[in-house]
């Protein structure tokens, strides 16, 4: 299970810079398409990593600066959190929504931030974009290479907002992380209520003991197959 968490961490943190989509390039009059912008942001992130990888490894907390600079502005954390909470978002107070969005983001960062340091260009292959110019939602497809050479399909869900393209979900081998988190949090909220769940998440974030998410369906079977090989 440990190596499953590591793989999921690598894939999800790799997904974040790939999903960093914005409406316009700073020096271009027209919007950049998802494919081109994904490539640009991924390259910018990898350039930063390569330049400061040793420093980040010595001080993992600095990874937060990398994430905040390259990823957070273009990841729709509020919309993603809303999808995770589902029906509980509608009954949550404005304060509870704000706190959950922040705690959810921080938990993702703690779970996957350090794995980002292991990400290198040879692990990533962005596949040809199949969307249309007038689409308001898009899927960017890629493959991420495992340590054993196997390539895992990873798809990123994006939507066009007033601020430009924003990412909100990632699917690994067809398994949505939004849906996985929705199941985990939904079960806990049903048992305890929303406020205790937010408080638990906030406390874990503050102490650095955030629980790892459940491995995607089918992961155990895949792990067993890898172990045999």
């Amino acid at each position: 299970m440990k190596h499953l968490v590591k793989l999921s961490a690598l894939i999800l943190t790799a997904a974040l810079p790939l999903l960093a989509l914005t409406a316009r390039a700073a020096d271009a009059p027209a919007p950049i398409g998802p494919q081109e912008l994904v490539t640009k942001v991924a390259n910018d992130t990898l350039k930063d990593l390569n330049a400061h990888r040793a420093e980040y490894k010595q001080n993992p907390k600095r990874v937060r600066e990398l994430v905040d600079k390259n990823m957070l502005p273009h990841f729709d954390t509020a919309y993603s959190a809303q999808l995770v909470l589902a029906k509980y978002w509608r009954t949550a107070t404005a304060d509870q929504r704000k706190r959950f969005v922040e705690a959810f983001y921080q938990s993702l960062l703690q779970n996957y931030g350090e794995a980002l340091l292991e990400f290198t260009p040879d692990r990533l292959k962005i596949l040809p974009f199949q969307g249309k110019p007038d689409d308001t939602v898009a899927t960017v497809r890629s493959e991420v290479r495992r340590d054993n050479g196997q390539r895992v399909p990873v798809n990123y869900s994006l939507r066009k907002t007033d601020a430009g393209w924003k990412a909100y979900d990632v699917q690994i081998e067809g398994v949505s992380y939004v849906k996985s988190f929705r199941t985990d949090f939904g079960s806990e909220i049903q048992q305890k209520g929303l406020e205790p769940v937010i408080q638990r998440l906030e406390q874990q974030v503050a102490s650095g003991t955030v629980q790892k998410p459940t491995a995607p369906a089918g992961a155990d079977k895949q792990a067993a197959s890898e172990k045999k090989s």
Side-chain angles (χ1 to χ4, degrees):
M1 181 62 69
K2 183 177 180 181
H3 68 284
L4 287 176
V5 171
K6 180 178 179 182
L7 171 65
S8 298
L10 174 63
I11 292 174
L12 189 56
T13 49
L16 294 178
L18 296 177
L19 296 172
L21 302 181
T22 186
R24 296 177 181 274
D27 56 353
I32 295 178
Q35 179 86 4
E36 296 83 3
L37 199 51
V38 161
T39 301
K40 177 183 182 302
V41 174
N43 288 341
D44 288 347
T45 302
L46 288 167
K47 182 179 179 180
D48 193 331
L49 274 174
N50 288 334
H52 305 285
R53 198 179 300 270
E55 184 179 351
Y56 288 139
K57 286 185 176 181
Q58 289 180 357
N59 184 9
K61 291 184 178 180
R62 284 210 57 200
V63 175
R64 167 67 186 266
E65 299 174 12
L66 174 66
V67 173
D68 285 350
K69 180 177 70 173
N70 291 320
M71 308 172 195
L72 179 59
H74 315 295
F75 189 75
D76 202 336
T77 53
Y79 185 64
S80 182
Q82 179 179 347
L83 293 178
V84 168
L85 284 185
K87 64 181 180 181
Y88 299 109
W89 180 269
R90 295 192 294 270
T91 57
T93 66
D95 179 66
Q96 286 177 325
R97 291 176 179 180
K98 180 180 179 180
R99 288 164 54 214
F100 182 80
V101 169
E102 176 64 14
F104 182 58
Y105 167 68
Q106 293 295 334
S107 68
L108 288 177
L109 183 57
Q110 285 193 15
N111 270 328
Y112 307 117
E114 293 186 23
L116 180 61
L117 298 177
E118 301 178 20
F119 189 64
T120 54
D122 62 302
R123 287 185 177 272
L124 169 68
K125 180 180 180 181
I126 302 175
L127 302 178
F129 184 63
Q130 298 180 340
K132 300 178 181 179
D134 58 345
D135 285 344
T136 57
V137 294
T139 298
V140 175
R141 302 174 304 127
S142 78
E143 294 176 342
V144 174
R145 182 179 58 79
R146 292 178 182 235
D147 291 338
N148 66 359
Q150 180 185 6
R151 289 195 170 271
V152 178
V154 181
N155 295 336
Y156 315 110
S157 298
L158 312 100
R159 67 179 189 136
K160 185 178 289 185
T161 72
D162 292 339
W165 284 99
K166 298 280 186 176
Y168 63 89
D169 191 18
V170 55
Q171 299 88 39
I172 303 172
E173 297 183 304
V175 179
S176 162
Y177 260 75
V178 162
K179 292 182 180 179
S180 296
F181 280 118
R182 181 189 301 159
T183 298
D184 291 343
F185 281 114
S187 177
E188 187 180 1
I189 293 171
Q190 187 175 18
Q191 295 176 14
K192 304 177 181 179
L194 177 58
E195 182 61 28
V197 171
I198 295 176
Q199 291 178 2
R200 188 267 301 169
L201 195 56
E202 289 175 332
Q203 291 169 0
Q204 289 186 339
V205 166
S207 63
T209 58
V210 174
Q211 296 176 356
K212 304 295 183 184
T214 304
D220 289 335
K221 181 178 179 181
Q222 199 165 26
S225 176
E226 287 183 9
K227 188 175 182 181
K228 290 180 180 179
S229 61

